[in-house]
Amino acid sequence: MTDTMRAAVLRGWNDLRVEEVEIPRPGPGEVMVRVLACGLCGTDVKMVEGAFEARGWPPSLPFVMGHEWSGEVAELGPDLEASPLRPGVRIVAENHVGCSACPMCRRGRYNLCERAGSPGYRLYGHTAPGALAEYAVRPAVMLHPIPDTISPLAGALVNQGALTVHAVRRVALEPGSTVAVFGPGLLGLLSTAVARAAGASRVIVIGRGPRLELAAAMGADATVDYERTEPAAGIKELTGGRGVDVVLDCTGNPDVPAQALGAVRRGGAIALLGLTGGKPAVLDIERVTLDEIDVLGIRSSPNAYPAMIALLETGAVDVEPLLTHVYDLDHVTDALEALRSRAAIRPIVTL
Ligand SMILES: [Zn+2]
Ligand SMILES: [Zn+2]
């Protein structure tokens, strides 16, 4: 094996280049993975622009990008004799490594590690090297084997799919529920399919344009075009005036939580999966309090990868309609542009 590999390296703001860099080597408990596919998301776009500089994403330049990916085990580091991972095993990788010792980590909520930001805490692709490269090294505990029946491209969507599994669990979605999904981007479309797989009897997707047709392909049985119909009114009309049991807000638009509050039934739940970029939202607290609406934040995907892998493996969720824009590494900036221009829901780079 040569000592260098090709990687998408952020050299400066808006300066993403394909370069030869040193191949990382696995330390004790770590695994070197041959990366096969890596998606690009809105966070990557903002990181390339330098919008997260104050947050330390990335902590310094140059930086290897990429955090939604799949690959194949290439080599095990020391101390992994008992691991089920072996060279050739296909995997997907989590990005959060908690400290495993703080109260939140000990409760299994390692996405909320109380030592986030301290040395040793790593968020791969954000504060530690990402996977838009031929090889990536990760602690073995962050890797989940996937069967060969899940393609590398579909595997690259497990990260976001697992986030929607976490959301569906947080709202305690019951079989037979009605669900409204705001925002038919990748998260909204995966939320639609995962809610159906979790037993939702009816999923209404709110958005505009051609993405609403894709929502139908992912399991939505009704849509509301917000350019024509006020969303809460449209949802009420589709639910006999009662409102939905659950709202999944996948927009990051600060106006949507108020619309969600107008669309949910008494005692219902609203999950917020997006970030508003620091903009505040106005909420009618009397509605939240007197009707006991659960408003829940959703961050990352603790303990949710195995469930998402199972949904893909069994065919309960089919992501094929979402795999429309695939690029080789030399065209990584085209992939980024396809995301910026909204031409692609999720551009994926193959390696
Ligand atoms: Zn992402
Ligand atoms: Zn912790």
Side-chain angles (χ1 to χ4, degrees):
M1 194 187 284
T2 55
D3 294 340
T4 62
M5 64 174 183
R6 302 176 75 236
V9 179
L10 188 63
R11 278 268 156 203
W13 306 138
N14 293 310
D15 184 8
L16 185 66
R17 298 184 206 169
V18 177
E19 292 184 348
E20 289 283 332
V21 301
E22 207 174 310
I23 295 180
R25 301 293 310 163
E30 291 184 331
V31 176
M32 182 167 81
V33 183
R34 174 77 178 87
V35 179
L36 297 175
C38 184
L40 288 164
C41 77
T43 301
D44 294 308
V45 170
K46 287 182 185 146
M47 281 174 67
V48 167
E49 290 168 351
F52 289 139
E53 186 180 8
R55 198 180 284 192
W57 297 355
S60 61
L61 297 173
F63 185 76
V64 177
M65 306 280 305
H67 60 271
E68 300 182 6
W69 62 284
S70 68
E72 185 179 285
V73 173
E75 192 183 319
L76 302 182
D79 304 338
L80 285 175
E81 292 74 18
S83 169
L85 298 171
R86 288 289 168 264
V89 170
R90 298 254 313 280
I91 58 90
V92 289
E94 297 195 50
N95 294 312
H96 278 262
V97 190
C99 70
S100 80
C102 76
M104 283 297 101
C105 282
R106 292 185 69 99
R107 283 175 177 228
R109 300 184 74 177
Y110 53 92
N111 57 325
L112 305 180
C113 177
E114 293 181 9
R115 294 183 190 162
S118 62
Y121 175 86
R122 277 164 288 172
L123 183 51
Y124 284 93
H126 301 70
T127 67
L132 266 170
E134 289 178 284
Y135 292 92
V137 165
R138 295 289 180 273
V141 292
M142 305 179 73
L143 304 183
H144 299 271
I146 60 171
D148 289 345
T149 50
I150 299 177
S151 72
L153 294 177
L157 298 188
V158 167
N159 170 284
Q160 294 292 283
L163 195 147
T164 72
V165 167
H166 180 45
V168 160
R169 286 179 177 164
R170 290 265 287 154
V171 296
L173 188 121
E174 291 179 10
S177 301
T178 52
V179 177
V181 176
F182 282 75
L186 182 72
L187 270 184
L189 295 166
L190 288 169
S191 291
T192 299
V194 168
R196 287 309 287 248
S201 59
R202 194 127 202 258
V203 180
I204 302 164
V205 175
I206 300 87
R208 69 181 165 98
R211 290 191 180 185
L212 288 180
E213 284 155 40
L214 203 45
M218 294 303 289
D221 37 20
T223 58
V224 174
D225 182 338
Y226 67 76
E227 289 184 323
R228 284 186 218 151
T229 311
E230 195 284 314
I235 292 164
K236 282 275 178 71
E237 197 183 313
L238 288 164
T239 52
R242 187 164 174 261
V244 285
D245 299 312
V246 166
V247 177
L248 303 174
D249 171 10
C250 302
T251 66
N253 178 338
D255 295 333
V256 168
Q259 296 167 5
L261 212 47
V264 74
R265 68 158 163 81
R266 298 191 87 182
I270 299 170
L272 305 174
L273 291 80
L275 296 175
T276 62
K279 293 188 198 111
V282 176
L283 281 188
D284 177 355
I285 297 304
E286 313 239 307
R287 172 89 226 277
V288 173
T289 305
L290 296 176
D291 287 345
E292 293 198 343
I293 310 296
D294 294 331
V295 179
L296 300 159
I298 308 298
R299 176 175 195 166
S300 192
S301 45
N303 312 302
Y305 270 54
M308 189 62 212
I309 293 165
L311 290 174
L312 293 177
E313 184 177 6
T314 57
V317 168
D318 176 12
V319 294
E320 215 52 47
L322 305 175
L323 304 173
T324 53
H325 288 69
V326 181
Y327 301 82
D328 58 31
L329 185 59
D330 286 323
H331 293 91
V332 64
T333 53
D334 294 341
L336 208 59
E337 190 46 43
L339 191 66
R340 266 201 198 106
S341 67
R342 293 173 56 85
I345 290 204
R346 185 56 100 240
I348 299 177
V349 175
T350 54
L351 292 126

